[in-house]
Amino acid sequence: MPLLTEDAKGVYVIAVTPFSDTGEVDWASVDRMVDFYEEKGATGLTILGQLGEAPKLTAEESREIARRVISRAKIPVVVGVTAPGLAPMRELADSVMEIGAAGVMVAPPWTLKTDDQIYAYFASVGDVLGKTPWVLQDYPLTTNVTIAPKVIDRIVRDIPTCVMLKHEDWPGLSKITTLRASSDKGETRRISILCGNGGLFLPEEMGRGADGAMTGFCFPEMMVGVVENYAKGNPDRAHDIFDAYLPLARYEQQQGIGLACRKYVLAKRGVISSATLRIPAPALSKLDIADVERLLARQEKRLKEIAA
Amino acid sequence: MPLLTEDAKGVYVIAVTPFSDTGEVDWASVDRMVDFYEEKGATGLTILGQLGEAPKLTAEESREIARRVISRAKIPVVVGVTAPGLAPMRELADSVMEIGAAGVMVAPPWTLKTDDQIYAYFASVGDVLGKTPWVLQDYPLTTNVTIAPKVIDRIVRDIPTCVMLKHEDWPGLSKITTLRASSDKGETRRISILCGNGGLFLPEEMGRGADGAMTGFCFPEMMVGVVENYAKGNPDRAHDIFDAYLPLARYEQQQGIGLACRKYVLAKRGVISSATLRIPAPALSKLDIADVERLLARQEKRLKEIAA
Amino acid sequence: MPLLTEDAKGVYVIAVTPFSDTGEVDWASVDRMVDFYEEKGATGLTILGQLGEAPKLTAEESREIARRVISRAKIPVVVGVTAPGLAPMRELADSVMEIGAAGVMVAPPWTLKTDDQIYAYFASVGDVLGKTPWVLQDYPLTTNVTIAPKVIDRIVRDIPTCVMLKHEDWPGLSKITTLRASSDKGETRRISILCGNGGLFLPEEMGRGADGAMTGFCFPEMMVGVVENYAKGNPDRAHDIFDAYLPLARYEQQQGIGLACRKYVLAKRGVISSATLRIPAPALSKLDIADVERLLARQEKRLKEIAA
Amino acid sequence: MPLLTEDAKGVYVIAVTPFSDTGEVDWASVDRMVDFYEEKGATGLTILGQLGEAPKLTAEESREIARRVISRAKIPVVVGVTAPGLAPMRELADSVMEIGAAGVMVAPPWTLKTDDQIYAYFASVGDVLGKTPWVLQDYPLTTNVTIAPKVIDRIVRDIPTCVMLKHEDWPGLSKITTLRASSDKGETRRISILCGNGGLFLPEEMGRGADGAMTGFCFPEMMVGVVENYAKGNPDRAHDIFDAYLPLARYEQQQGIGLACRKYVLAKRGVISSATLRIPAPALSKLDIADVERLLARQEKRLKEIAA
């Protein structure tokens, strides 16, 4: 499978990990999910991230899921390899690259503070990963680490295997602007910037020079629609699509309960057989489900209106 | 002026502090702003909070602004009195209550950790504030303090002057449900719950039993429309209004840049004379302004559609 | 090997992981280190903790080190199994218990906030670990999680496999007093409390009812001397010994550089062949080494004085 | 009174704020305390810091205490002016400089993250303070802000009114070495570095080029003895003195309970009339007092031995 490069574009969907009602990995749903994401226009998949419930998997399960997804998918697969130490990170990265992953993704440990500490950490990551291309995940809300644009520039300049930024700083629009200015002036390489944060700022992020999305909202149609229409020079159409999905996307972006909501919708759409999360995990209450159902009904109505 | 009670309902707008282009307090704009919020249907005002740039004001300016707003307003005024210590908090609280404030608002210091530490802090707050009614501000994203529902229940049970929760935990829908269950079962007083977080979850929060909003989105029409329609039993109309404003509300909810955006729109609407923030403060870039203008144009169009 | 129980007493030394100059695990030094700790009076060993550089080891290395230490040691061995998720924690715990570990040790993830969140996490830990006895590591300075005494009581009451507290809150003397009062009144089981924090408060901790130490200061003689003399009713002798070692213990307690200092001294004492840490790791500067050498010389002189 | 400069040396004692048993400011004790610190060899005083219980004072009390101490003292007085915003900081700074303070001290707000954010904050501080010389307080353990040496260098280079670093990073020996290397090479001004952290690393800090201490240990004799002997080229005598006081200094360095311990000893020494802290504050238990008394007795004995 081709390796991830700075030219990556489009929508890399953050995949869930489907479980049966009793918490076993549900392999049939894994296959169905891969097919679903491809049918909806995903250009890549990202697995074993936080929202793939990676920390709840045994090492063996992680490897098996990676193997299954990679062998099924016709599109590139990025694998989350964030780990408490560099040695286990390398172990997992090497094993998934061997079976055909396109690249890996790394978030910083919560203890990093100064610019130099952050840079040094990712320099070490680059060292231990060897030739494997990797994605820098910049998500201060959950990592506790704020990475200044100049630190990202320095990493990009010094470490050629860093080919993509998963951008989910908040607010982050000026960050994209600053990073693109650096590469436009030739001060750094231009790497791929795919945006997370549940897609909540996707149209504006595309307007600042992002290359697409890397997030897991339960309607990948939204991300695909926004990215494609921006690429085609139709920002208004992109916003129309975005606005129709925004109420649900906002609801799904709640920390904790959001993943339960995502799985609920994916199950309802027939993609996965069960909405089950492995424990420990919050469950949707009846009131939560009523909220989601209302949002789904309103969304469907609005989508029809804007299709007309 | 009547004191704040557990029965408070509706929309308490978080007021900005208007400055001239050179950073002086702009008294004419203060008056105009008070009138504007009242005309748009606000049932109360909250001043000298974080988004009122309170930390950038001298003690004298703070007192003068409180005096001006309270004497102008026909609706109750809540004053933020969060301070590094209890003695200065009491000083400010006493001085604003004397000139007619309806109550005060307190956020916890970032160093609190355990349930008992949080409870003990607010117990001390209740002690030093005497008979002054106060609002507990629960905003973990900026305070670093997560307050469990049972801790809020305990505070409410023990401290009769705590009459309102400014709810902005995220996610927080189940928190409202839990708190309302406690008072429904008679285990605690039922206090007022007004919701912040830029209004981003307002319809769902109303559905869980909130009494209204306390937030500063630049179109108070949104909060008023959602709250009134929920109160009248028209949730769908509430959602229609909410959805029309959501793209801009989401944009304004960005940390840091959000307040600049809010002042930009209020200035454009003629409420305040200048969008200036006191330093240190981020400024809107041309790209930010273009984003806001696009969102305003789309919002206007959508409002017309749903008005039809 | 017998399992860890609430009756554990004495000194469980936090073992380093010896590496060769080139960063390979140095098996001969592993053996020598086990013998050394036993000769100096350790009643137990704790391996694969943060200061055993566990995150820098591959899964295979971790298992091999556990196997080597357990098969060599005549005293009980506790193994650190803190992991980002419950599934990998169980995997490691099961594998080391199978080869004869006495129990395992678990620290909380940095994201826990409220009392109930902390309790729920350790309840899950108890569930997945089955019958394996475990140590609760309470070290707020590095975990970011502050655990109130009542939360520890609740865990101890509900989860019978929690048999020991590795106490390193700071300040923590009143915490020990509170916990012992609970068990003295029969409100909870009395579990073993062994103290960390580099031993910096060991005499006072013994005075409050601790059962010993679990820490890695490079002179286990200090911990053994303090604990034994307190047990024998000679607190003054305990303090004499403690005071003689305190200047170095304080120096070794520096975050980051402390472990390098510990390995330097253990190498100098002939216990391990090389003072090497695996990267990323800080190295001692010439000035650091001069500091340590001065402290060693003064300590030796003082020990002679108090021996006389 | 002369202004604080880069040449400041010796021991600036962090003064407590004496209260009566009922919590009123005890003016007679304020005077006696000033005299005491001068008699024991202090070369300066620092008031209204965290350990002076500044946040518990009203604005009026703060000004009165500053006035009283400054008018009584024959040595320079530095005043803590850390505040939630720049406007109140300037107000307090201007008012104390007017009545004769030598300079002011500023700690960063807990929300700062990146190098540039930290630099920008202190650049703003320099702006609003005008010509007032100020001390940068670098105490990550309580401020939550880690400041890299290069950021301090940049502040020193750009802001001439920053004349002193209150160094209490931990570990921080290599930080002093790095900062001194910068000024030795002529890359920055050489500013005064006085060390905090309860004096726990004072001899080693002097060895790295610190100019003295700024901390509040209840026996200023220790800091004076260590600093003077290092200055005279007697490091071994400095260590003898340090080691004699270290067991108590370590005990007093506990967060929270430490200040109660300090006031207990100062009251016992007859410096202040009451050991009372303003609420909210932890109180010493009988067991804590027994610990302190034991440490005092042992310290007295040891001081006699080394005097002989």
Side-chain angles (χ1 to χ4, degrees):
Chain A
M1 196 176 277
L3 294 181
L4 198 66
T5 71
E6 292 94 339
D7 299 322
K9 280 189 194 332
V11 178
Y12 280 62
V13 180
I14 301 283
V16 300
T17 298
F19 297 111
S20 70
D21 290 346
T22 53
E24 302 303 302
V25 177
D26 173 358
W27 300 106
S29 288
V30 170
D31 290 347
R32 212 156 47 229
M33 177 186 69
V34 170
D35 298 347
F36 167 80
Y37 287 143
E38 289 183 340
E39 282 157 23
K40 294 301 178 189
T43 49
L45 290 176
T46 303
I47 60 172
L48 301 185
Q50 194 66 30
L51 292 187
E53 301 178 71
K56 302 175 191 167
L57 302 171
T58 65
E60 180 59 21
E61 287 174 330
S62 295
R63 273 190 302 272
E64 278 314 298
I65 289 168
R67 194 185 312 275
R68 185 82 166 219
V69 170
I70 290 167
S71 66
R72 180 92 183 181
K74 302 176 200 72
I75 53 180
V77 177
V78 173
V79 182
V81 297
T82 301
L86 296 175
M89 178 189 299
R90 171 162 45 187
E91 264 190 316
L92 180 55
D94 287 354
S95 76
V96 298
M97 292 308 290
E98 203 171 297
I99 56 177
V104 299
M105 182 163 72
V106 181
W110 72 274
T111 47
L112 300 178
K113 300 274 188 183
T114 69
D115 284 9
D116 282 352
Q117 286 171 359
I118 297 167
Y119 172 80
Y121 179 76
F122 284 108
S124 296
V125 166
D127 277 351
V128 303
L129 291 183
K131 295 181 177 172
T132 298
W134 56 280
V135 182
L136 193 172
Q137 185 175 15
D138 181 17
Y139 195 9
L141 191 65
T142 61
T143 61
N144 194 44
V145 179
T146 300
I147 313 181
K150 70 204 274 189
V151 174
I152 297 174
D153 277 348
R154 191 175 161 206
I155 293 168
V156 170
R157 200 152 39 227
D158 293 357
I159 309 170
T161 49
C162 176
V163 296
M164 184 186 287
L165 178 71
K166 180 173 197 288
H167 167 80
E168 33 196 347
D169 200 347
W170 178 67
L173 297 174
S174 67
K175 196 169 197 172
I176 300 177
T177 300
T178 304
L179 293 171
R180 285 312 188 210
S182 298
S183 55
D184 288 352
K185 282 184 260 172
E187 296 168 1
T188 56
R189 271 183 303 138
R190 188 193 189 284
I191 63 168
S192 173
I193 298 180
L194 300 188
C195 300
N197 256 329
L200 283 195
F201 288 90
L202 189 53
E204 287 87 359
E205 289 162 339
M206 293 303 295
R208 302 296 175 104
D211 296 304
M214 185 186 276
T215 192
F217 178 50
C218 54
F219 285 85
E221 296 91 326
M222 184 272 271
M223 287 88 82
V224 171
V226 171
V227 170
E228 287 186 354
N229 278 288
Y230 249 97
K232 284 190 277 183
N234 297 331
D236 274 318
R237 180 70 191 154
H239 276 276
D240 286 345
I241 294 167
F242 175 76
D243 290 358
Y245 288 104
L246 178 57
L248 182 61
R250 159 206 65 121
Y251 199 90
E252 197 190 282
Q253 185 61 0
Q254 295 174 86
Q255 297 287 319
I257 204 77
L259 179 60
C261 168
R262 178 176 301 172
K263 282 192 152 184
Y264 175 84
V265 176
L266 289 174
K268 188 180 163 94
R269 298 187 79 184
V271 181
I272 59 179
S273 299
S274 166
T276 302
L277 280 75
R278 273 204 178 162
I279 56 154
L284 295 184
S285 68
K286 281 184 190 176
L287 294 169
D288 295 329
I289 290 174
D291 283 343
V292 172
E293 289 292 347
R294 178 197 298 274
L295 293 169
L296 284 171
R298 291 181 56 84
Q299 176 178 293
E300 197 176 341
K301 181 163 160 284
R302 183 69 189 140
L303 285 169
K304 277 181 195 148
E305 288 171 13
I306 66 166
Chain B
M1 195 176 275
L3 294 180
L4 198 66
T5 72
E6 292 94 340
D7 299 322
K9 280 190 193 331
V11 178
Y12 280 62
V13 179
I14 302 282
V16 300
T17 297
F19 297 111
S20 70
D21 289 348
T22 53
E24 302 302 302
V25 177
D26 173 359
W27 299 105
S29 288
V30 169
D31 290 346
R32 212 158 44 230
M33 177 186 69
V34 171
D35 299 348
F36 167 79
Y37 287 144
E38 289 182 341
E39 282 156 25
K40 294 301 179 191
T43 50
L45 290 177
T46 302
I47 61 172
L48 301 184
Q50 194 66 31
L51 293 187
E53 300 179 72
K56 300 175 191 166
L57 301 171
T58 66
E60 181 57 20
E61 287 174 329
S62 295
R63 272 189 304 271
E64 277 314 297
I65 289 168
R67 195 184 312 274
R68 184 84 166 216
V69 170
I70 290 168
S71 65
R72 179 96 183 176
K74 304 177 198 71
I75 52 179
V77 177
V78 174
V79 182
V81 297
T82 301
L86 296 175
M89 179 189 298
R90 171 163 45 186
E91 263 189 318
L92 180 55
D94 287 354
S95 76
V96 299
M97 291 309 290
E98 202 170 300
I99 55 176
V104 300
M105 183 162 73
V106 181
W110 73 273
T111 48
L112 301 178
K113 301 277 188 179
T114 69
D115 285 8
D116 283 353
Q117 287 171 358
I118 296 168
Y119 172 79
Y121 180 76
F122 283 109
S124 298
V125 166
D127 276 351
V128 303
L129 291 184
K131 296 180 178 172
T132 298
W134 56 279
V135 182
L136 194 172
Q137 185 176 16
D138 181 19
Y139 195 9
L141 191 64
T142 61
T143 62
N144 195 43
V145 179
T146 300
I147 313 182
K150 69 203 274 190
V151 174
I152 296 174
D153 277 348
R154 192 176 160 204
I155 292 168
V156 170
R157 201 151 39 225
D158 293 356
I159 308 169
T161 49
C162 175
V163 297
M164 185 186 285
L165 178 72
K166 180 174 199 289
H167 167 80
E168 34 197 345
D169 199 348
W170 178 67
L173 297 174
S174 67
K175 196 170 198 172
I176 299 177
T177 300
T178 304
L179 294 171
R180 285 312 188 209
S182 297
S183 55
D184 288 351
K185 282 184 261 172
E187 296 168 1
T188 57
R189 271 182 303 139
R190 186 191 190 284
I191 62 168
S192 174
I193 299 180
L194 299 188
C195 300
N197 255 331
L200 282 195
F201 288 89
L202 189 52
E204 287 87 359
E205 288 161 338
M206 292 305 294
R208 302 294 174 107
D211 296 303
M214 186 186 275
T215 193
F217 177 51
C218 54
F219 285 85
E221 296 92 325
M222 183 273 270
M223 288 88 83
V224 171
V226 170
V227 171
E228 286 185 355
N229 278 288
Y230 248 96
K232 284 191 277 185
N234 296 332
D236 274 318
R237 180 66 192 158
H239 275 276
D240 286 346
I241 294 167
F242 175 77
D243 289 358
Y245 288 104
L246 179 56
L248 182 61
R250 158 206 66 120
Y251 199 89
E252 197 191 282
Q253 183 62 359
Q254 294 175 85
Q255 296 287 320
I257 204 77
L259 179 60
C261 167
R262 179 176 301 172
K263 283 193 152 185
Y264 175 84
V265 176
L266 288 174
K268 187 182 164 92
R269 298 187 78 185
V271 180
I272 58 179
S273 298
S274 166
T276 302
L277 281 75
R278 275 208 177 158
I279 58 156
L284 295 184
S285 68
K286 282 185 189 175
L287 293 169
D288 295 328
I289 290 174
D291 283 343
V292 173
E293 290 291 348
R294 176 197 299 270
L295 292 169
L296 284 170
R298 291 181 56 86
Q299 175 179 294
E300 197 177 340
K301 178 161 162 286
R302 183 69 188 137
L303 284 169
K304 277 184 195 148
E305 289 171 12
I306 67 165
Chain C
M1 194 176 276
L3 294 180
L4 198 67
T5 73
E6 292 94 341
D7 300 322
K9 280 187 193 330
V11 178
Y12 279 63
V13 180
I14 302 282
V16 300
T17 298
F19 297 112
S20 70
D21 290 346
T22 53
E24 301 303 302
V25 177
D26 173 359
W27 299 106
S29 288
V30 170
D31 290 347
R32 213 157 47 227
M33 178 186 69
V34 171
D35 298 348
F36 166 80
Y37 287 143
E38 289 182 342
E39 283 158 22
K40 294 303 179 188
T43 50
L45 289 177
T46 302
I47 61 172
L48 300 185
Q50 195 66 30
L51 293 187
E53 300 177 71
K56 302 176 191 167
L57 301 170
T58 65
E60 180 58 20
E61 286 174 330
S62 295
R63 273 189 303 270
E64 277 314 298
I65 289 168
R67 195 186 311 275
R68 184 82 166 220
V69 170
I70 290 167
S71 64
R72 180 91 181 183
K74 301 176 199 74
I75 53 180
V77 177
V78 173
V79 182
V81 296
T82 301
L86 296 175
M89 178 189 299
R90 172 163 43 188
E91 265 190 314
L92 180 54
D94 287 353
S95 76
V96 298
M97 292 309 290
E98 202 170 298
I99 58 177
V104 300
M105 183 163 72
V106 180
W110 72 274
T111 47
L112 301 177
K113 300 276 187 180
T114 69
D115 285 8
D116 283 353
Q117 287 171 358
I118 296 167
Y119 172 80
Y121 180 76
F122 284 108
S124 297
V125 167
D127 276 352
V128 303
L129 292 183
K131 296 182 176 171
T132 298
W134 56 279
V135 182
L136 193 171
Q137 185 175 17
D138 181 18
Y139 195 9
L141 190 65
T142 61
T143 61
N144 194 44
V145 179
T146 301
I147 313 180
K150 70 203 275 188
V151 175
I152 297 174
D153 277 349
R154 191 176 160 203
I155 292 167
V156 170
R157 201 151 38 224
D158 293 356
I159 310 169
T161 49
C162 175
V163 297
M164 184 186 286
L165 178 71
K166 181 174 198 288
H167 167 80
E168 34 197 345
D169 200 347
W170 177 68
L173 297 174
S174 67
K175 196 170 198 172
I176 299 178
T177 300
T178 304
L179 293 171
R180 285 313 189 207
S182 297
S183 56
D184 287 353
K185 283 184 262 173
E187 295 168 2
T188 56
R189 272 182 302 140
R190 187 191 191 285
I191 62 167
S192 174
I193 298 179
L194 299 188
C195 300
N197 256 330
L200 282 195
F201 288 90
L202 190 53
E204 287 87 359
E205 289 162 338
M206 292 304 294
R208 302 294 175 106
D211 296 303
M214 186 186 275
T215 192
F217 177 51
C218 55
F219 285 84
E221 296 92 324
M222 183 273 268
M223 287 88 83
V224 171
V226 170
V227 170
E228 286 185 356
N229 278 287
Y230 249 96
K232 283 190 280 184
N234 297 331
D236 274 318
R237 180 66 192 157
H239 275 276
D240 286 346
I241 294 167
F242 176 76
D243 290 357
Y245 287 103
L246 179 56
L248 182 62
R250 159 205 64 119
Y251 199 91
E252 197 191 282
Q253 185 62 358
Q254 294 174 86
Q255 297 287 320
I257 205 77
L259 179 60
C261 168
R262 178 176 300 171
K263 283 193 151 182
Y264 175 85
V265 176
L266 288 174
K268 188 182 163 95
R269 297 187 80 185
V271 180
I272 58 178
S273 298
S274 165
T276 302
L277 279 76
R278 274 205 178 162
I279 58 154
L284 296 183
S285 67
K286 281 184 190 175
L287 293 169
D288 295 328
I289 291 174
D291 283 343
V292 172
E293 290 290 348
R294 178 198 298 272
L295 292 168
L296 284 170
R298 291 181 56 85
Q299 176 179 292
E300 196 176 343
K301 181 163 161 284
R302 183 70 189 139
L303 285 169
K304 277 183 195 148
E305 289 171 12
I306 67 165
Chain D
M1 194 176 273
L3 295 179
L4 198 67
T5 71
E6 292 95 339
D7 298 323
K9 280 189 194 329
V11 178
Y12 279 62
V13 180
I14 302 281
V16 298
T17 298
F19 297 112
S20 70
D21 289 346
T22 54
E24 303 302 301
V25 176
D26 172 359
W27 299 106
S29 287
V30 170
D31 290 347
R32 212 156 47 228
M33 178 186 71
V34 171
D35 298 348
F36 167 80
Y37 287 144
E38 289 183 341
E39 283 158 22
K40 294 301 179 190
T43 49
L45 289 177
T46 303
I47 61 171
L48 301 184
Q50 194 67 30
L51 292 186
E53 300 178 73
K56 301 176 192 167
L57 301 171
T58 65
E60 180 58 20
E61 287 175 331
S62 294
R63 273 189 302 270
E64 277 314 297
I65 289 168
R67 194 185 313 274
R68 184 83 166 217
V69 169
I70 290 168
S71 65
R72 180 95 183 179
K74 303 176 200 72
I75 53 180
V77 177
V78 174
V79 181
V81 297
T82 301
L86 296 175
M89 179 188 298
R90 172 163 44 185
E91 264 190 315
L92 180 55
D94 287 353
S95 76
V96 298
M97 293 309 291
E98 202 171 297
I99 57 177
V104 299
M105 183 162 73
V106 181
W110 72 274
T111 47
L112 300 178
K113 299 277 188 180
T114 68
D115 285 8
D116 282 352
Q117 287 172 357
I118 296 167
Y119 172 81
Y121 180 76
F122 283 109
S124 298
V125 167
D127 276 351
V128 304
L129 291 183
K131 294 181 177 172
T132 299
W134 55 279
V135 182
L136 193 172
Q137 184 176 17
D138 181 18
Y139 194 11
L141 190 64
T142 62
T143 61
N144 195 43
V145 180
T146 300
I147 313 180
K150 70 203 277 190
V151 174
I152 296 174
D153 277 349
R154 192 176 159 205
I155 292 168
V156 170
R157 201 152 37 225
D158 292 357
I159 309 170
T161 50
C162 175
V163 296
M164 184 186 287
L165 178 71
K166 179 173 200 288
H167 166 81
E168 33 197 347
D169 199 348
W170 178 68
L173 297 173
S174 68
K175 196 170 197 172
I176 299 176
T177 301
T178 304
L179 293 171
R180 285 312 188 210
S182 297
S183 56
D184 288 352
K185 281 183 262 171
E187 296 168 0
T188 57
R189 272 182 304 138
R190 188 192 189 284
I191 63 168
S192 173
I193 298 179
L194 300 188
C195 299
N197 256 329
L200 283 194
F201 288 90
L202 189 52
E204 286 87 359
E205 289 162 338
M206 293 304 296
R208 301 296 174 106
D211 297 303
M214 185 186 276
T215 192
F217 178 50
C218 54
F219 285 84
E221 297 92 323
M222 183 272 269
M223 287 87 83
V224 171
V226 170
V227 170
E228 286 185 357
N229 278 287
Y230 248 95
K232 284 189 278 185
N234 296 333
D236 274 318
R237 181 66 192 158
H239 275 276
D240 285 346
I241 294 167
F242 175 77
D243 289 359
Y245 287 104
L246 178 56
L248 181 62
R250 158 206 64 121
Y251 199 88
E252 198 191 280
Q253 183 63 359
Q254 293 174 85
Q255 297 287 319
I257 204 77
L259 179 60
C261 168
R262 179 176 299 172
K263 283 194 152 182
Y264 174 85
V265 175
L266 288 174
K268 188 180 163 96
R269 298 187 78 185
V271 180
I272 59 178
S273 299
S274 166
T276 302
L277 280 76
R278 275 206 178 160
I279 57 156
L284 296 184
S285 68
K286 283 186 189 173
L287 293 169
D288 295 328
I289 291 175
D291 283 344
V292 172
E293 289 291 347
R294 178 198 298 273
L295 292 169
L296 284 171
R298 291 182 56 87
Q299 176 179 294
E300 197 177 341
K301 180 162 162 281
R302 184 68 189 140
L303 284 169
K304 277 185 195 145
E305 289 172 12
I306 67 165

